[in-house]
Amino acid sequence: MSFDVAAVRRQFPILSEIIDGRPIHYLDNGASAQTPLAVIDAVRHYETTSRANVLRGVHRLAERATEAYENARAEVATFLGVQPMETVFTGGCTAAINLVAYSYGSLLKPGDRILLSELEHHSNIVPWQLLRTRSGVELDMIPVTDDGRIDLAELPRLLTPKTKLVSLAHVSNVTGALLDVRAVVSAANAVGAKVMLDGAQRAPHGPLDLPSLGIDFYVFAGHKAYGPNGIGVLWGRPELLEAMPPFMGGGSMIGRVTFAETTWAPAPRRFEAGTPAIGPAIGLGAACTWMQRLDWSAAHDHEMALVQRLMDGLQRVDGTHLFGPASLQNRYPVVSFTLDGVHPHDVAQTLDSFGVAVRAGHHCAQPLMDRFDLDGTTRVSMAPYNDNSDIDALLAGVAHAAKTLR
Amino acid sequence: MNDQLYQDRIVALAKAKTGAGRLEAPTKSARRDNPLCGDRVTIDVKLDGQGRITEIAHQVRGCLLCQASASALSAVAVGRDAAGIAEVRHDAERALGRQAGEAHEPFTAFVPVAAHKSRQECVLLPLEALKDALA
């Protein structure tokens, strides 16, 4: 394999940390990925050479800050294959979904329907429930197949002329399943529904070409994509963003303010009220450029080889059950499993004593846990910097938990 | 491999499953969920005329710490009223380092959890459920 994982690892300072005499085996990337020097340096550069507010000042630091902030927007747009003016910085992925639910949602009428799925993260369920309470829209749910994919065979039954939006995870944060976007867009278009993808688990695995997907909105989180916390992105079709009212009011998002009336700035500023998270935005721009430079074909092969090693290893431990697609096709490196007789939190706690970081619990996807009648799972989520030693340490920890905790 | 948290006494308490199950015709019952991790504890009690526990049972859908705590609680609950259970709660809080003073058996088993703040709610969940049942 041509992928030089050691070279990638060297760019992530935290991976050489030693805690209690053990190296870190960081396999909780689905919750928050680690950040490379390129991002740390970009944020530090802004804070030490260009720190000022954006868009307002005329002094040189303000000019530098504004240029860096808008350059970051361009870097993110390039990563998504879209235009900067269609790219809105938000407080995170959750904030981006809430923005759409509030703003696009305000254009919907009682009785309009929004289609979600059973495997959505709570952040792609609860904002729509709040909208339902506010405005009387109805929510529908696509069930999940036994192998943890959204069951698209159900689409014809669930899509109606009343369906205005289909909002789905691009990649599941529990099963790693990749959505068949083409099938969803084709079916949604047939009834005139818009499509939004929650890209939180897809964006960390390489550049996108959103126009080719035919979707209407895309959201993702900075901290899961090797960037800082407190920053996320909403991409929207320009004609949709133009039709949407602001989510929050304040500075930067206005055209002209009088006490009688206020007009709105065009997108993206209309949706960026107040001083934005400038440093985090610059960091996310750097993260997107960092991702842009990686050979993702090789990185994906590397990640999926780790998935195979993990799945093979787990199946050798008596009493493990894997959730999600059995094949490596159309999936990303997120693997959930249970161990008979041992609660997922106890698996995760034992793994911590082996230096292995994973996530355990319901993964903010309680409807999916209910679907499989699970209290929770242990989730292993990988990034290009993970290597065989991470997987082997995890497998040793799982074997230890199986031996000592049941 | 030395698991600092899962020491033998905690594992033994969990495996003992003291009081595990449900009671038929309990005087009172309560269920508590931990929304962060999804753990769920259901407690049934039978009470005498003075409000003292004569029988207790628990159903835990949760981790080892939660199971161990429910076992420990069941082992000391019979004969206690709400005030007596509040005393047990203090014991658990002492073991977790949240209150000053020495914890008593069997909650001394949870002293290792003092260093794991994110897991302390797992220990306290059965106590919360029992408090609700006695309220």
Side-chain angles (χ1 to χ4, degrees):
Chain A
M1 190 165 297
S2 61
F3 188 69
D4 186 354
V5 63
V8 175
R9 291 179 68 82
R10 281 195 294 274
Q11 299 176 55
F12 289 78
I14 204 168
L15 298 179
S16 49
E17 274 290 298
I18 301 289
I19 299 180
D20 293 340
R22 293 176 188 286
I24 293 172
H25 298 289
Y26 192 77
L27 293 165
D28 193 20
N29 297 285
S32 218
Q34 297 302 341
T35 199
L37 273 173
V39 171
I40 298 166
D41 288 348
V43 176
R44 182 180 164 84
H45 186 260
Y46 161 71
E47 298 290 356
T48 53
T49 69
S50 317
R51 183 180 164 94
N53 212 328
V54 290
L55 299 172
R56 299 175 183 81
V58 296
H59 56 80
R60 273 176 249 190
L61 287 182
E63 290 286 7
R64 281 184 179 181
T66 302
E67 189 180 335
Y69 180 67
E70 292 304 328
N71 183 54
R73 193 192 306 281
E75 289 177 287
V76 173
T78 300
F79 174 76
L80 298 176
V82 300
Q83 296 303 311
M85 300 315 276
E86 306 159 0
T87 307
V88 181
F89 282 125
T90 66
C93 194
T94 297
I97 296 174
N98 275 274
L99 192 166
V100 176
Y102 186 92
S103 176
Y104 179 76
S106 73
L107 306 174
L108 302 181
K109 299 181 190 64
D112 284 347
R113 308 187 80 87
I114 292 168
L115 183 55
L116 311 172
S117 90
E118 199 171 21
L119 62 62
E120 297 310 311
H121 190 283
H122 295 164
S123 62
N124 194 26
I125 298 173
V126 181
W128 306 110
Q129 292 175 326
L130 293 172
L131 175 65
R132 177 172 63 186
T133 304
R134 278 198 306 275
S135 69
V137 300
E138 304 282 346
L139 305 183
D140 296 305
M141 184 208 58
I142 314 174
V144 163
T145 60
D146 288 343
D147 66 346
R149 293 186 184 278
I150 297 174
D151 188 357
L152 298 183
E154 295 281 337
L155 272 182
R157 179 175 70 81
L158 292 164
L159 278 167
T160 75
K162 285 277 191 190
T163 308
K164 299 301 174 195
L165 181 71
V166 182
S167 185
L168 301 173
H170 195 179
V171 168
S172 164
N173 72 316
V174 178
T175 70
L178 172 69
L179 182 70
D180 182 348
V181 179
R182 201 173 298 270
V184 171
V185 167
S186 158
N189 284 350
V191 297
K194 308 296 182 200
V195 176
M196 175 159 88
L197 295 185
D198 168 2
Q201 299 294 332
R202 169 58 188 83
H205 300 286
L208 290 144
D209 179 16
L210 296 187
S212 75
L213 296 180
I215 59 168
D216 301 282
F217 297 107
Y218 199 86
V219 295
F220 75 97
H223 69 100
K224 295 186 201 290
Y226 320 106
N229 291 310
I231 191 79
V233 170
L234 162 67
W235 171 80
R237 278 189 190 277
E239 63 273 22
L240 288 173
L241 294 179
E242 200 50 47
M244 285 159 51
F247 175 36
M248 289 196 293
S252 296
M253 49 73 70
I254 50 95
R256 168 89 186 141
V257 177
T258 68
F259 272 97
E261 190 186 29
T262 294
T263 59
W264 317 131
R269 281 201 290 129
R270 182 184 303 175
F271 304 106
E272 295 180 0
T275 298
I278 304 165
I282 290 165
L284 179 55
C288 285
T289 296
W290 180 83
M291 285 192 281
Q292 203 86 35
R293 289 176 182 158
L294 206 66
D295 175 355
W296 280 98
S297 171
H300 186 71
D301 288 348
H302 167 70
E303 289 177 332
M304 298 320 285
L306 295 177
V307 168
Q308 190 67 63
R309 186 182 187 91
L310 172 65
M311 289 167 59
D312 291 347
L314 285 174
Q315 279 161 347
R316 285 196 295 270
V317 180
D318 188 35
T320 54
H321 303 276
L322 290 161
F323 291 87
S327 108
L328 300 190
Q329 296 303 306
N330 296 319
R331 73 169 293 164
Y332 278 79
V334 178
V335 177
S336 277
F337 68 95
T338 59
L339 177 61
D340 283 343
V342 186
H343 192 276
H345 280 134
D346 298 324
V347 175
Q349 192 80 55
T350 302
L351 289 175
D352 177 66
S353 69
F354 281 69
V356 179
V358 296
R359 187 68 172 270
H362 53 59
H363 313 297
C364 296
Q366 284 179 328
L368 184 64
M369 296 297 114
D370 291 344
R371 157 71 171 80
F372 290 108
D373 193 27
L374 292 170
D375 297 333
T377 68
T378 303
R379 181 187 71 180
V380 187
S381 50
M382 286 155 262
Y385 45 67
N386 288 124
D387 62 15
N388 287 343
S389 79
D390 296 330
I391 303 303
D392 294 347
L394 178 133
L395 293 170
V398 172
H400 182 76
K403 197 172 73 185
T404 59
L405 297 184
R406 61 181 183 187
Chain B
M1 183 61 50
N2 173 31
D3 292 346
Q4 293 178 345
L5 184 55
Y6 297 122
Q7 295 187 357
D8 291 347
R9 289 191 57 210
I10 290 180
V11 176
L13 275 170
K15 287 184 177 174
K17 295 186 184 298
T18 308
R22 299 294 306 266
L23 294 182
E24 277 185 32
T27 317
K28 289 187 168 179
S29 294
R31 192 179 82 193
R32 267 283 184 138
D33 291 285
N34 180 343
L36 292 179
C37 64
D39 283 357
R40 168 174 289 184
V41 175
T42 308
I43 296 257
D44 296 329
V45 286
K46 286 188 183 176
L47 304 175
D48 67 13
Q50 281 75 50
R52 289 183 301 239
I53 296 169
T54 58
E55 274 188 80
I56 183 166
H58 61 82
Q59 195 169 54
V60 175
R61 279 187 75 160
C63 65
L64 195 93
L65 295 180
C66 195
Q67 293 171 35
S69 171
S71 267
L73 180 59
S74 297
V76 298
V78 171
R80 292 179 186 266
D81 58 10
I85 293 300
E87 272 307 308
V88 175
R89 165 73 180 233
H90 289 308
D91 236 17
E93 299 257 5
R94 286 183 204 112
L96 298 175
R98 294 176 166 213
Q99 285 182 18
E102 293 283 314
H104 297 92
E105 294 295 321
F107 282 89
T108 47
F110 296 98
V111 168
V113 191
H116 295 265
K117 209 166 177 53
S118 64
R119 302 299 304 278
Q120 294 180 2
E121 295 305 318
C122 307
V123 176
L124 295 175
L125 197 64
L127 287 146
E128 293 285 336
L130 181 54
K131 186 176 157 194
D132 286 354
L134 297 176

